[in-house]
Amino acid sequence: MFSPRLFKRDIVTLPEFILDRQKDFPYAKGDLTTLLNDIGVAAKIVSREVRKAGLVNILGEMGTENVQGERQKKLDVFADQQFIAALRQGGVACGVASEEQDEFIAFEDQLYVGRPYVVAIDPLDGSSNIDVNVSIGTIFSIYRITDSNRTARLEDFLQPGRELVAAGYVIYGSSTMLVFTTGRGVNGFTLDPSIGEFCLSHDNIRIPETGPYYSINEGNLRDCGQGIQDFIGWCKGEDGGTALSGRYIGSLVADFHRNLIKGGIYLYPATTKAPLGKLRLLYECNPLAFIVEQAGGMASDGHRPIMDYQPRELHQRVPLFIGSPRLVQKAMDCILAEADPTLKL
Ligand code: AHG
Ligand code: MN
Ligand code: MN
């Protein structure tokens, strides 16, 4: 006898999920659906190359530098090309700004008029971990432009994080995952290599209020302000409290993802060598801030929310404190107490 239950499937793929939620998206005309799917396809291609990186000639350096004077790896360049090509071909984005490109790229062909979005991207995050088989990632942000009858302009990319329409990341870890938000919670999808699809695995992710981990490059601690040093002391239980565990991979996506799931704080503060920290507002901080806030967490520069920044330039850097709200608040309290010792906690 016919039983509908026999036909029930217990997996939900990324395209199915996006289509199902399309009605929830702002400006639901299907463009954002297409764009997220395009990013998903590019992520699968990059994931495939990451998986066989040790087998083919794709490890190591290109012998070139990006605009920030950082050595480019072959995978940096490959990922950059894949995402830009997917966005150009996809027909929905009119421009892209990439951490690996000096200037933003406007898709200027006449055909590209009527494309309502721009994308900012860190195509390969955690480059120093590529050659040593440690998790790396991709981070993306999607903004809407004011008038889709033109191509992308600089001002389209310099919108505050509060204007983000969607943001997400891909982590190429022991499995490949895509995590994103469109402003209605955060969902995670794991790539099932046997069917080549991202499948919903982490429904409505919520970050714990507090957590067991603090993540910082402690090699820099001497070069940080007293407030940061006090906070790390507190994390280590130096005031008699329970010590947290230190965890630092050196790939922001991977450190962030762990703390999002388990609870914790990631910080890349200002140092004497890097007075604005190292991380980039557009490509790294804003998208992860949007995700963490949507999951119930906080993202701050130590004083104010990351999402409130009015960006001034594409490759702008900003200090970052991100993760479980109680831990981020504690870090901010320590910074405040440094400025005003009467507040010493
Ligand atoms: P990218 O590989 O995109 O340049 O980003 C590297 C970033 C980030 O992923 C990581 O958290 C941080 O740099 C690590 O920096 P340190 O080596 O200074 O700790
Ligand atoms: Mn990065
Ligand atoms: Mn990068």
Side-chain angles (χ1 to χ4, degrees):
M1 212 171 77
F2 172 76
S3 163
R5 291 178 63 196
L6 282 178
F7 294 89
K8 190 169 171 293
R9 224 180 50 195
D10 55 4
I11 62 161
V12 177
T13 67
L14 178 65
E16 288 169 346
F17 179 90
I18 294 173
L19 212 58
D20 181 60
R21 298 288 172 96
Q22 188 172 305
K23 58 182 181 320
D24 294 344
F25 292 169
Y27 329 102
K29 283 198 307 195
D31 287 341
L32 191 58
T33 306
T34 307
L35 186 49
L36 288 167
N37 277 323
D38 292 344
I39 290 172
V41 173
K44 282 195 254 183
I45 295 171
V46 172
S47 177
R48 183 192 67 198
E49 293 308 304
V50 168
R51 297 286 166 231
K52 63 183 188 194
L55 301 171
V56 296
N57 189 22
I58 199 159
L59 292 179
E61 300 202 343
M62 284 294 282
T64 51
E65 286 186 353
N66 66 14
V67 62
Q68 293 149 86
E70 297 161 340
R71 307 284 302 163
Q72 286 183 305
K73 303 276 186 179
K74 288 179 190 164
L75 261 179
D76 275 325
V77 174
F78 178 83
D80 192 39
Q81 288 168 350
Q82 285 304 319
F83 281 101
I84 293 172
L87 297 170
R88 188 190 291 274
Q89 235 162 277
V92 178
C94 63
V96 55
S98 161
E99 183 198 84
E100 297 302 328
Q101 303 283 334
D102 301 8
E103 307 289 344
F104 69 91
I105 298 171
F107 301 143
E108 272 173 343
D109 187 297
Q110 283 251 305
L111 286 173
Y112 298 130
V113 169
R115 295 174 169 224
Y117 295 106
V118 293
V119 176
I121 192 156
D122 178 355
L124 222 293
D125 173 68
S127 305
S128 67
N129 283 323
I130 293 174
D131 292 348
V132 289
N133 212 348
V134 171
S135 297
I136 49 183
T138 295
I139 312 174
F140 61 90
S141 324
I142 301 174
Y143 293 93
R144 204 173 159 84
I145 67 170
T146 47
D147 166 14
S148 62
N149 285 318
R150 58 171 177 79
T151 191
R153 293 183 191 147
L154 181 60
E155 72 217 38
D156 300 324
F157 298 97
L158 301 184
Q159 300 188 53
R162 296 267 170 237
E163 300 298 325
L164 274 164
V165 172
Y169 61 84
V170 185
I171 174 166
Y172 311 102
S174 46
S175 59
T176 296
M177 270 191 80
L178 191 152
V179 175
F180 78 95
T181 182
T182 55
R184 289 174 185 257
V186 181
N187 291 283
F189 299 79
T190 302
L191 182 61
D192 179 341
S194 66
I195 59 169
E197 293 282 4
F198 283 106
C199 299
L200 182 63
S201 53
H202 296 63
D203 191 8
N204 192 23
I205 297 171
R206 304 295 299 167
I207 188 168
E209 277 277 302
T210 186
Y213 300 129
Y214 73 98
S215 311
I216 182 176
N217 181 342
E218 267 191 89
N220 294 334
L221 198 55
R222 262 193 335 185
D223 297 330
C224 296
Q226 191 56 47
I228 305 296
Q229 300 192 25
D230 290 348
F231 174 65
I232 297 303
W234 176 85
C235 289
K236 292 177 172 175
E238 280 172 9
D239 63 354
T242 316
L244 307 183
S245 290
R247 290 281 190 283
Y248 192 73
I249 295 169
S251 292
L252 173 61
V253 164
D255 282 306
F256 175 82
H257 181 71
R258 180 199 52 246
N259 294 354
L260 179 70
I261 304 294
K262 301 275 189 192
I265 181 172
Y266 175 98
L267 55 158
Y268 209 113
T271 65
T272 41
K273 275 178 246 150
L276 293 173
K278 175 181 183 186
L279 300 174
R280 283 132 293 208
L281 177 60
L282 260 68
Y283 313 115
E284 292 163 322
C285 302
N286 264 339
L288 297 187
F290 188 26
I291 293 168
V292 87
E293 285 197 7
Q294 282 293 316
M298 275 174 80
S300 164
D301 69 350
H303 303 278
R304 61 185 171 128
I306 292 288
M307 301 265 282
D308 288 348
Y309 264 76
Q310 171 59 58
R312 291 184 317 278
E313 54 189 24
L314 289 178
H315 299 286
Q316 185 173 342
R317 296 175 195 265
V318 63
L320 179 67
F321 300 77
I322 191 165
S324 293
R326 276 204 233 152
L327 297 176
V328 174
Q329 189 57 55
K330 178 70 184 178
M332 290 169 69
D333 292 346
C334 288
I335 292 169
L336 207 63
E338 177 191 358
D340 180 355
T342 60
L343 297 173
K344 201 90 186 165
L345 303 164

